[in-house]
Amino acid sequence: MTEPALPAIGAAMPIALLPVYRDWLIEADRDLEIQDFFRIDALEDWSGLAAEAKRQLDGWRGRLGIHGPFWGFTIASHDADVRALVTRRMLKGLEVCEGLGATQMVIHSPYTTWDFNNLDYTPGARDAVVERAHQTLGAVVKRAEETGVTLVIENIEDKDPRDRLALARSFDSPAVKVSLDTGHAFYAQVSTGGAAVDYHVAVAGEMLDHVHVQDADGHADRHWAPGEGTIPWRAVFTALARLETKPRLVLELRDNSRIPAGAAHLVGLGLVR
């Protein structure tokens, strides 16, 4: 019996870096996440950037996604006016996806470490988070279904991965799944007593569609290259290998010049190609 092929590691980066990593992306049609359009200026005037991205990616056949907007808001705001603004921002992100041919958009979880200990203290608070998220994202999910884009909800302050998973499943839509940021999960584990990183993978199962691969020490959101922190990568990739689905794996590093080193570390461990 032949061993299954190792997954190809991809990366998240701004469009300005596509010429630097173009050959590396093309050699294995690696997953790519473009990280310009969470900025409001880029989101509002996206066509020129999108045209440049498509020019740089000519000949590449990998899976393309973007990081959606997130600065200054939550998808489950208590303020109806803010929810309406977030809806507009998310719909604009889907417009960018359609223009680029991207099939995935990362959005941020509304759950905080405060929520872990307090949502169940106030009757109805947990359901209210889900209800407000639906008020924000209802039209967005419908549009995502129409355009073939999957929204992936990324853990930010989440302590218990089951909260985000339940939120994603509540939409009962193939257009809503979850993302895992390994460094965020490791921070939650070490600093707040949250679940281990590989547990996030196991719990999400077939709902896991995207992974931000970054190393950390549990003290802060480091976004270091794999090998520079203390995340147990063998455990994480063992859990990933058990999945029937193949989530997108993208290095998301604070210093993008470390993409080759981070990829090489995981290749050296025999975990990716």
Side-chain angles (χ1 to χ4, degrees):
M1 180 182 294
T2 58
E3 291 291 326
L6 293 174
I9 189 71
M13 65 185 72
I15 292 165
L17 285 181
L18 292 180
V20 176
Y21 292 109
R22 171 183 160 83
D23 290 345
W24 178 75
L25 290 166
I26 288 175
E27 72 179 13
D29 284 328
R30 301 177 188 277
D31 295 329
L32 171 65
E33 179 187 323
I34 291 178
Q35 292 207 312
D36 294 83
F37 300 107
F38 66 82
R39 301 193 334 262
I40 301 307
D41 60 325
L43 190 67
E44 291 299 323
D45 187 18
W46 60 266
S47 59
L49 282 170
E52 174 62 13
K54 291 172 77 172
R55 186 179 74 83
Q56 291 292 342
L57 294 171
D58 183 45
W60 170 75
R61 299 292 180 266
R63 298 181 290 185
L64 179 62
I66 72 168
H67 200 306
F70 64 89
W71 285 123
F73 60 72
T74 168
I75 61 171
S77 174
H78 287 264
D79 189 320
D81 290 341
V82 173
R83 292 198 298 273
L85 173 62
V86 176
T87 300
R88 292 200 300 274
R89 297 283 193 237
M90 296 297 177
L91 288 172
K92 195 72 173 180
L94 291 178
E95 183 180 314
V96 174
C97 288
E98 193 169 7
L100 276 171
T103 54
Q104 192 177 74
M105 184 167 79
V106 179
I107 64 176
H108 280 188
S109 168
Y111 293 103
T112 67
T113 47
W114 185 94
D115 290 336
F116 181 80
N117 290 325
N118 286 280
L119 278 181
D120 293 321
Y121 179 70
T122 304
R126 185 172 295 278
D127 290 340
V129 174
V130 175
E131 181 180 353
R132 293 193 303 271
H134 276 254
Q135 290 168 352
T136 303
L137 295 178
V140 181
V141 172
K142 183 175 185 297
R143 185 60 181 157
E145 291 171 343
E146 293 168 350
T147 55
V149 177
T150 302
L151 306 171
V152 287
I153 307 174
E154 176 188 1
N155 57 308
I156 306 301
E157 296 183 43
D158 308 52
K159 185 172 178 178
D160 188 338
R162 292 172 294 188
D163 293 334
R164 188 173 82 269
L165 185 63
L167 173 61
R169 284 182 169 153
S170 72
F171 287 93
D172 193 24
S173 169
V176 184
K177 295 190 177 181
V178 298
S179 165
L180 167 64
D181 185 297
T182 58
H184 296 173
F186 195 57
Y187 169 80
Q189 177 188 350
V190 174
S191 295
T192 72
V197 183
D198 59 301
Y199 182 78
H200 281 255
V201 176
V203 166
E206 80 288 351
M207 290 291 285
L208 182 63
D209 206 45
H210 171 274
V211 182
H212 276 153
V213 179
Q214 57 131 326
D215 214 341
D217 57 359
H219 177 72
D221 186 22
R222 301 296 196 179
H223 285 270
W224 286 336
E228 296 176 341
T230 53
I231 289 178
W233 291 113
R234 290 190 186 281
V236 174
F237 278 86
T238 296
L240 286 167
R242 294 191 183 110
L243 301 180
E244 292 186 11
T245 54
K246 300 301 176 187
R248 303 183 193 194
L249 306 175
V250 294
L251 292 161
E252 189 190 43
L253 309 184
R254 194 172 302 279
D255 178 0
N256 283 310
S257 72
R258 300 293 294 162
I259 288 173
H265 179 78
L266 296 175
V267 169
L269 292 175
L271 302 175
V272 302
R273 57 187 170 91

